[in-house]
Amino acid sequence: MLAPSMRTAMQPDEFTQHIQSTQTPTLVEFWAPWCAPCRAMTPDLERAAEEHRDGVTLLRINADSSHELLRQLGVMGIPTLIGYQQGQEVFRRTGAQNIDGIREMFTALSANRPLRRGPSPADRVLRLGAGLALVILGLSQGGLLLPMAAGLLLAFTGIYDRCPIYQTLAPRLKSLLRKWFLP
């Protein structure tokens, strides 16, 4: 179901009321007319919304006309897609998404299951391999720290979502950053 998709503005209280009162899961897209990635995603979003019209509502909000809502929700970039189940945010994705990612969001919402997080298996292997190559390069050049550090960091991006230390610290760091940058 496509909710008021061409809405030009939405105030925070109006948004909260809408999200709390709807019985169907909702995928909210924050977009702007000048945003090329937003425009590129529009056909895929509308196609996926049509495929899941009975189970998920797509709500498109123009970011240029809804500054207070963006500030309240902590939306710092567009396009941003936020999934809501029973009035609660269940996931958030920022940046352009391909059709498979968009369909995965709609499917997760309609099936009331968590959205897969982290890199794909192929992306994990690529990151780990490239990171290992940089570490080996640094070691072969007499222990150069810069390529070795870059390699370790790159390899970590392939497994960060499985690291218990990262999972513990990331929410705290995000909360701290929101306090500092969003009064």
Side-chain angles (χ1 to χ4, degrees):
M1 175 189 322
L2 192 60
S5 65
M6 294 304 155
R7 247 189 207 281
T8 56
M10 187 172 269
Q11 297 303 315
D13 55 338
E14 181 184 9
F15 177 80
T16 302
Q17 180 182 2
H18 177 79
I19 291 298
Q20 296 293 328
S21 67
T22 186
Q23 297 301 314
T24 59
T26 303
L27 182 64
V28 180
E29 178 201 20
F30 290 95
W31 66 281
W34 51 264
C35 171
C38 300
R39 289 193 314 265
M41 275 189 354
T42 296
D44 293 337
L45 265 173
E46 291 176 351
R47 186 176 314 122
E50 182 61 30
E51 291 169 2
H52 292 87
R53 71 178 166 271
D54 296 329
V56 178
T57 300
L58 174 63
L59 177 62
R60 301 186 69 218
I61 298 176
N62 186 332
D64 287 341
S65 304
S66 305
H67 295 287
E68 184 62 27
L69 178 58
L70 268 68
R71 188 187 68 72
Q72 181 179 340
L73 294 176
V75 174
M76 297 190 189
I78 57 171
T80 292
L81 297 159
I82 305 175
Y84 287 91
Q85 292 262 353
Q86 300 167 349
Q88 300 296 316
E89 180 178 328
V90 292
F91 65 79
R92 179 182 295 226
R93 294 284 187 266
T94 300
Q97 305 293 314
N98 62 25
I99 185 64
D100 293 332
I102 293 169
R103 282 188 175 130
E104 184 179 4
M105 287 183 244
F106 275 96
T107 301
L109 284 171
S110 66
N112 195 16
R113 65 172 172 77
L115 185 63
R116 181 183 60 83
R117 304 188 101 169
S120 69
D123 197 24
R124 281 186 203 282
V125 170
L126 182 64
R127 292 176 189 196
L128 289 168
L132 180 62
L134 281 172
V135 169
I136 291 170
L137 176 69
L139 287 171
S140 70
Q141 297 298 317
L144 293 175
L145 292 179
L146 186 59
M148 290 184 348
L152 290 173
L153 183 61
L154 182 58
F156 182 72
T157 67
I159 59 166
Y160 73 93
D161 61 315
R162 296 180 180 188
C163 174
I165 296 170
Y166 175 83
Q167 290 174 356
T168 301
L169 294 178
R172 293 180 181 155
L173 182 59
K174 287 178 185 177
S175 173
L176 187 61
L177 290 173
R178 280 197 175 123
K179 285 180 187 175
W180 286 349
F181 296 109
L182 293 173

Coordinates of all heavy atoms in Angstrom, one line a residue, residues 20-53:
Q20 N 2.0 5.5 15.1 CA 1.4 4.8 16.2 C 0.0 4.2 15.9 O -0.4 3.2 16.4 CB 1.3 5.7 17.5 CG 2.6 6.2 18.0 CD 3.4 5.0 18.6 OE1 2.9 4.1 19.2 NE2 4.7 5.2 18.6
S21 N -0.7 4.9 15.0 CA -2.1 4.5 14.7 C -2.2 3.4 13.6 O -3.2 2.7 13.5 CB -2.9 5.7 14.3 OG -2.5 6.2 13.1
T22 N -1.2 3.2 12.8 CA -1.3 2.3 11.7 C -1.1 0.9 12.2 O -0.2 0.6 13.0 CB -0.3 2.6 10.5 OG1 -0.6 1.7 9.5 CG2 1.1 2.5 11.0
Q23 N -1.9 0.0 11.7 CA -1.8 -1.4 12.1 C -0.8 -2.2 11.2 O -0.3 -3.3 11.6 CB -3.1 -2.1 12.0 CG -4.2 -1.5 13.0 CD -3.7 -1.6 14.4 OE1 -3.2 -2.6 14.9 NE2 -3.8 -0.5 15.1
T24 N -0.5 -1.7 10.0 CA 0.4 -2.4 9.1 C 1.8 -1.9 9.3 O 2.0 -0.7 9.6 CB 0.0 -2.2 7.6 OG1 0.0 -0.8 7.3 CG2 -1.4 -2.8 7.3
P25 N 2.8 -2.7 9.1 CA 4.2 -2.3 9.1 C 4.4 -1.1 8.1 O 3.7 -1.1 7.0 CB 5.0 -3.5 8.7 CG 4.1 -4.7 9.0 CD 2.7 -4.1 8.7
T26 N 5.3 -0.2 8.4 CA 5.5 0.9 7.5 C 7.0 1.1 7.2 O 7.8 1.0 8.1 CB 5.0 2.2 8.2 OG1 3.6 2.0 8.5 CG2 5.1 3.4 7.3
L27 N 7.3 1.3 5.9 CA 8.6 1.7 5.5 C 8.6 3.2 5.1 O 7.8 3.6 4.3 CB 9.1 0.9 4.3 CG 10.5 1.1 3.8 CD1 11.5 0.7 4.9 CD2 10.8 0.4 2.5
V28 N 9.3 4.0 5.9 CA 9.4 5.4 5.7 C 10.6 5.8 4.9 O 11.7 5.4 5.3 CB 9.4 6.2 7.0 CG1 9.4 7.7 6.8 CG2 8.1 5.8 7.9
E29 N 10.4 6.5 3.8 CA 11.6 7.0 3.0 C 11.7 8.5 3.2 O 10.7 9.2 2.9 CB 11.4 6.7 1.5 CG 12.6 7.2 0.7 CD 12.3 7.4 -0.7 OE1 11.1 7.5 -1.1 OE2 13.3 7.5 -1.5
F30 N 12.8 9.0 3.6 CA 13.1 10.4 3.6 C 13.9 10.7 2.3 O 15.0 10.1 2.1 CB 13.9 10.8 4.8 CG 13.1 10.7 6.1 CD1 13.1 9.6 6.9 CD2 12.3 11.7 6.4 CE1 12.4 9.5 8.0 CE2 11.5 11.6 7.6 CZ 11.5 10.5 8.4
W31 N 13.4 11.6 1.5 CA 13.9 11.9 0.2 C 13.9 13.3 -0.1 O 13.3 14.1 0.7 CB 13.1 11.1 -0.9 CG 11.7 11.6 -1.0 CD1 10.7 11.3 -0.1 CD2 11.2 12.5 -1.9 NE1 9.5 12.0 -0.5 CE2 9.8 12.8 -1.6 CE3 11.7 13.2 -3.0 CZ2 9.0 13.6 -2.3 CZ3 10.9 14.1 -3.7 CH2 9.6 14.3 -3.4
A32 N 14.4 13.8 -1.2 CA 14.3 15.2 -1.7 C 14.3 15.2 -3.2 O 14.9 14.3 -3.8 CB 15.5 16.0 -1.1
P33 N 13.6 16.1 -3.8 CA 13.6 16.2 -5.3 C 14.9 16.3 -5.9 O 15.1 15.8 -7.0 CB 12.7 17.4 -5.6 CG 12.0 17.7 -4.3 CD 12.8 17.2 -3.2
W34 N 15.9 17.0 -5.3 CA 17.2 17.2 -5.9 C 18.1 16.0 -5.7 O 19.2 16.0 -6.2 CB 17.8 18.4 -5.3 CG 17.8 18.4 -3.8 CD1 16.9 19.0 -3.0 CD2 18.7 17.8 -2.9 NE1 17.2 18.8 -1.7 CE2 18.3 18.0 -1.6 CE3 19.9 17.0 -3.1 CZ2 19.0 17.5 -0.5 CZ3 20.5 16.5 -2.0 CH2 20.1 16.8 -0.7
C35 N 17.7 15.0 -4.9 CA 18.6 13.9 -4.5 C 18.6 12.8 -5.6 O 17.6 12.1 -5.8 CB 18.1 13.3 -3.2 SG 18.9 11.8 -2.7
A36 N 19.7 12.7 -6.3 CA 19.8 11.7 -7.4 C 19.6 10.3 -7.0 O 18.9 9.5 -7.6 CB 21.1 11.9 -8.2
P37 N 20.3 9.9 -5.9 CA 20.0 8.5 -5.4 C 18.6 8.2 -5.0 O 18.1 7.1 -5.3 CB 21.0 8.4 -4.2 CG 22.0 9.4 -4.4 CD 21.4 10.5 -5.1
C38 N 17.9 9.3 -4.5 CA 16.5 9.1 -4.2 C 15.7 8.9 -5.4 O 14.8 8.0 -5.5 CB 16.0 10.4 -3.5 SG 16.8 10.8 -1.9
R39 N 15.9 9.7 -6.4 CA 15.2 9.5 -7.7 C 15.5 8.2 -8.4 O 14.6 7.5 -8.9 CB 15.6 10.7 -8.7 CG 15.0 12.0 -8.3 CD 15.1 13.0 -9.4 NE 16.4 13.1 -10.1 CZ 17.4 13.9 -9.8 NH1 17.3 14.8 -8.8 NH2 18.5 13.9 -10.4
A40 N 16.8 7.7 -8.2 CA 17.1 6.4 -8.8 C 16.4 5.3 -8.1 O 16.1 4.3 -8.8 CB 18.6 6.2 -8.8
M41 N 16.2 5.4 -6.8 CA 15.5 4.3 -6.0 C 14.0 4.3 -6.2 O 13.4 3.3 -5.9 CB 15.8 4.5 -4.5 CG 17.1 3.9 -4.1 SD 17.3 3.9 -2.3 CE 16.0 4.8 -1.6
T42 N 13.4 5.4 -6.6 CA 12.0 5.5 -6.7 C 11.3 4.4 -7.4 O 10.3 3.8 -6.9 CB 11.6 6.9 -7.2 OG1 12.0 7.9 -6.3 CG2 10.1 7.1 -7.4
P43 N 11.7 4.1 -8.7 CA 11.0 3.0 -9.4 C 11.1 1.6 -8.6 O 10.1 0.9 -8.5 CB 11.7 2.9 -10.7 CG 12.4 4.2 -10.9 CD 12.7 4.7 -9.5
D44 N 12.2 1.3 -8.0 CA 12.4 0.1 -7.3 C 11.5 0.1 -6.0 O 10.9 -0.9 -5.6 CB 13.8 -0.2 -6.9 CG 14.7 -0.5 -8.1 OD1 14.1 -0.9 -9.2 OD2 15.9 -0.3 -8.1
L45 N 11.5 1.2 -5.3 CA 10.6 1.4 -4.1 C 9.2 1.2 -4.4 O 8.5 0.5 -3.7 CB 10.8 2.8 -3.5 CG 11.8 2.9 -2.4 CD1 12.0 4.4 -2.0 CD2 11.5 2.1 -1.2
E46 N 8.7 1.8 -5.5 CA 7.3 1.7 -5.9 C 7.0 0.3 -6.3 O 5.9 -0.2 -6.0 CB 7.0 2.8 -6.9 CG 7.0 4.2 -6.3 CD 6.8 5.3 -7.3 OE1 6.7 5.0 -8.5 OE2 6.6 6.5 -6.8
R47 N 7.9 -0.3 -7.0 CA 7.7 -1.7 -7.5 C 7.6 -2.6 -6.3 O 6.6 -3.4 -6.2 CB 8.8 -2.2 -8.4 CG 8.6 -3.5 -9.0 CD 9.7 -3.9 -10.0 NE 10.0 -2.9 -10.9 CZ 11.3 -2.4 -11.0 NH1 12.3 -2.8 -10.3 NH2 11.5 -1.4 -11.9
A48 N 8.5 -2.5 -5.3 CA 8.4 -3.3 -4.1 C 7.2 -3.0 -3.3 O 6.6 -3.9 -2.7 CB 9.7 -3.1 -3.3
A49 N 6.8 -1.8 -3.2 CA 5.6 -1.4 -2.4 C 4.4 -2.0 -3.1 O 3.5 -2.5 -2.4 CB 5.5 0.1 -2.4
E50 N 4.4 -2.1 -4.4 CA 3.2 -2.7 -5.1 C 3.2 -4.2 -4.8 O 2.2 -4.8 -4.6 CB 3.3 -2.4 -6.6 CG 2.2 -3.0 -7.4 CD 0.8 -2.4 -7.0 OE1 0.7 -1.3 -6.6 OE2 -0.2 -3.2 -7.2
E51 N 4.4 -4.8 -4.8 CA 4.5 -6.3 -4.6 C 4.0 -6.6 -3.1 O 3.5 -7.7 -2.9 CB 5.9 -6.7 -4.7 CG 6.4 -6.7 -6.2 CD 7.9 -6.9 -6.3 OE1 8.6 -7.2 -5.3 OE2 8.4 -6.9 -7.4
H52 N 4.2 -5.7 -2.2 CA 3.8 -5.9 -0.8 C 2.7 -5.0 -0.3 O 2.5 -4.7 0.8 CB 5.0 -5.7 0.1 CG 6.1 -6.7 -0.1 ND1 7.1 -6.6 -1.0 CD2 6.4 -7.9 0.5 CE1 7.9 -7.6 -1.0 NE2 7.5 -8.4 0.0
R53 N 1.8 -4.6 -1.3 CA 0.8 -3.6 -1.0 C -0.2 -4.1 0.1 O -0.7 -3.3 0.8 CB 0.0 -3.2 -2.2 CG -0.9 -4.3 -2.8 CD -1.6 -3.8 -4.0 NE -2.2 -4.9 -4.7 CZ -1.6 -5.6 -5.6 NH1 -0.4 -5.3 -6.0 NH2 -2.3 -6.6 -6.2

